[in-house]
Amino acid sequence: MKSISLYFLLIVAVLSSCQKQNINMHTVIHSDGTCERTVSYSNVMTKEQRDSLLGEHLNGWSQPMPECLNIDAFCKSYTEVGKDDTVKTTFTCPFSSVEEMCQQTPLQLNGVRLKSSAKLHKRFRWFYTEYTFTETFACVGDSFKLPPVNYADENIVSYWFTGHPNITEGLSGAETMSKLNEIEPLINKWLDDNFVNLCFDYIVSHYDSIPNPPVSRQRFIELEDSLVKFAKKGKDDILGIQADKVFKDFFGSDSYALFFDEDTNCGKELMKIYSDRLSILGFSVPYSLSMPGTVIDAGTGICKDGVVYYPLTGERLIPHDYVISAKSRITNIWAYIVTLLVILIAIGSFAYGKKLILKKD
């Protein structure tokens, strides 16, 4: 019998995360309102895989796609094999509008596309044209039955998962560390309680599957708090708890073992439930954005060499929607030329009129 280990599931979630496969997503906004999205991912090839490929550049061929990607067939793919045995696949997807682009979001969590909506506002200001792009990724916090705001203030929760608002502004390094040490136990308790809740809800809903349960369903529900205290005795969190042993020691029965055995249907289903939640915590795809003209406001991102970079992670989607925004300007050279011509014509007309008046005199 192979027991379910949350430590093991957490490691698997990290190893299979988008971050591990070097996934990046780049959005390009054009001045005419059209846009394109590029998604790339890379892995180190085995010698056998490299030997089976012909050439350094393989158009139309791509390596196996990561689980957190869902790229539509109309996107063009390009694969390059590097000298260091790294194979990189890039998909480029053109769109007629940002609204259309969001309908084909290439990122997914646990087999479900991330929901996003976007707006592009274009404002003509004579000497320049201003572009404002906003993309909002929908919150996935409802995947956790117990919301984190039940454990900490809304601003504290938002800061912990997203970095905003900056509640440590003005604090020294020591004061910031003290503040974070106060917050961490609250978030850990939120996560622990959710994992416990997932387990209890699943067992209760499948109680009829238990052979000769030591207590009734109702009594099992009543004993939840007592069982949790027993399980966490001397433990900081539940990740290291051997659940099957805890249930056996508490109830004096192996009847609940089927829920913690990877080889049973109930064990597989419960493991999938846990894995899906941990996948949210392991999700990470760097998001970069190119705007028309010069970026004048990068929002919560960092602008470097004209490209704005944002961290797009599962944690940032837990407390609320995650908003990516930027503002840029294109200088209208023709407007300056027209304005100069108008000024020159005005000056010329004034001079010519004055000359005529002098002749009459």
Side-chain angles (χ1 to χ4, degrees):
M1 180 183 77
K2 293 185 290 185
S3 298
I4 295 174
S5 169
L6 288 182
Y7 268 133
F8 172 75
L9 290 178
L10 181 60
I11 292 172
V12 170
V14 172
L15 291 178
S16 61
S17 68
C18 296
Q19 185 177 16
K20 185 68 178 179
Q21 294 176 293
N22 299 312
I23 297 177
N24 290 271
M25 185 168 74
H26 183 62
T27 299
V28 180
I29 306 299
H30 300 296
S31 59
D32 61 358
T34 62
C35 54
E36 65 180 39
R37 187 159 262 170
T38 301
V39 180
S40 64
Y41 58 97
S42 60
N43 284 299
V44 177
M45 301 177 64
T46 64
K47 184 178 184 302
E48 291 75 16
Q49 287 174 322
R50 182 176 176 83
D51 292 343
S52 67
L53 300 177
L54 300 176
E56 291 286 315
H57 305 282
L58 306 170
N59 291 315
W61 178 88
S62 62
Q63 56 186 319
M65 194 175 297
E67 292 183 359
C68 55
L69 291 183
N70 185 350
I71 300 177
D72 294 273
F74 70 87
C75 299
K76 295 181 179 179
S77 67
Y78 174 83
T79 299
E80 180 180 3
V81 180
K83 294 181 180 179
D84 57 352
D85 289 337
T86 297
V87 57
K88 180 178 180 181
T89 297
T90 301
F91 285 88
T92 302
C93 314
F95 300 96
S96 60
S97 67
V98 296
E99 290 81 6
E100 181 188 6
M101 177 180 68
C102 289
Q103 294 174 5
Q104 309 291 336
T105 301
L107 305 178
Q108 63 180 17
L109 261 173
N110 302 319
V112 179
R113 279 186 192 266
L114 290 184
K115 295 180 180 178
S116 74
S117 58
K119 295 291 183 183
L120 177 63
H121 295 288
K122 180 179 178 180
R123 293 182 177 87
F124 176 66
R125 301 295 195 217
W126 184 249
F127 289 114
Y128 62 88
T129 301
E130 191 174 89
Y131 297 84
T132 303
F133 172 73
T134 303
E135 183 168 9
T136 303
F137 289 89
C139 172
V140 299
D142 57 359
S143 297
F144 299 91
K145 184 176 180 179
L146 304 173
V149 290
N150 287 1
Y151 297 78
D153 177 79
E154 184 178 352
N155 286 337
I156 290 177
V157 170
S158 180
Y159 171 75
W160 183 266
F161 288 110
T162 72
H164 301 279
N166 185 9
I167 61 175
T168 63
E169 186 175 2
L171 299 182
S172 67
E175 291 167 340
T176 298
M177 180 179 291
S178 177
K179 186 75 172 177
L180 295 177
N181 288 337
E182 293 175 3
I183 299 173
E184 186 177 19
L186 303 177
I187 303 302
N188 286 343
K189 181 168 174 37
W190 161 77
L191 191 59
D192 282 357
D193 288 354
N194 269 288
F195 281 141
V196 170
N197 187 272
L198 287 171
C199 180
F200 263 83
D201 282 355
Y202 185 82
I203 293 176
V204 169
S205 64
H206 292 76
Y207 212 79
D208 292 339
S209 302
I210 304 172
N212 302 316
V215 296
S216 66
R217 187 198 306 263
Q218 183 57 41
R219 181 57 179 159
F220 178 79
I221 295 173
E222 294 171 353
L223 289 171
E224 178 178 354
D225 291 340
S226 298
L227 176 58
V228 172
K229 290 179 181 178
F230 178 81
K232 295 187 68 173
K233 190 175 181 179
K235 301 285 195 311
D236 292 330
D237 55 56
I238 68 166
L239 287 178
I241 293 175
Q242 190 176 341
D244 55 340
K245 186 178 185 303
V246 169
F247 272 74
K248 180 179 179 180
D249 292 345
F250 185 82
F251 290 102
S253 170
D254 284 324
S255 298
Y256 301 98
L258 77 159
F259 294 105
F260 310 106
D261 183 356
E262 295 180 27
D263 296 325
T264 66
N265 289 333
C266 287
K268 290 176 183 177
E269 288 181 2
L270 184 56
M271 183 170 65
K272 178 66 167 57
I273 292 172
Y274 278 131
S275 181
D276 286 351
R277 300 323 186 272
L278 290 171
S279 293
I280 296 174
L281 302 178
F283 180 87
S284 178
V285 176
Y287 182 119
S288 55
L289 172 67
S290 294
M291 293 285 291
T294 303
V295 175
I296 59 174
D297 185 354
T300 59
I302 297 175
C303 186
K304 183 178 180 181
D305 298 328
V307 178
V308 189
Y309 297 89
Y310 307 85
L312 177 56
T313 63
E315 289 186 341
R316 284 175 169 78
L317 300 176
I318 290 176
H320 45 65
D321 294 348
Y322 181 58
V323 180
I324 283 172
S325 65
K327 185 182 293 185
S328 66
R329 284 179 182 173
I330 289 182
T331 301
N332 298 324
I333 303 298
W334 60 266
Y336 284 91
I337 295 174
V338 170
T339 302
L340 180 60
L341 288 175
V342 170
I343 293 174
L344 291 175
I345 291 173
I347 293 174
S349 298
F350 176 78
Y352 182 72
K354 189 174 182 181
K355 185 177 180 180
L356 290 177
I357 293 174
L358 292 174
K359 281 185 177 181
K360 288 182 179 179
D361 294 339

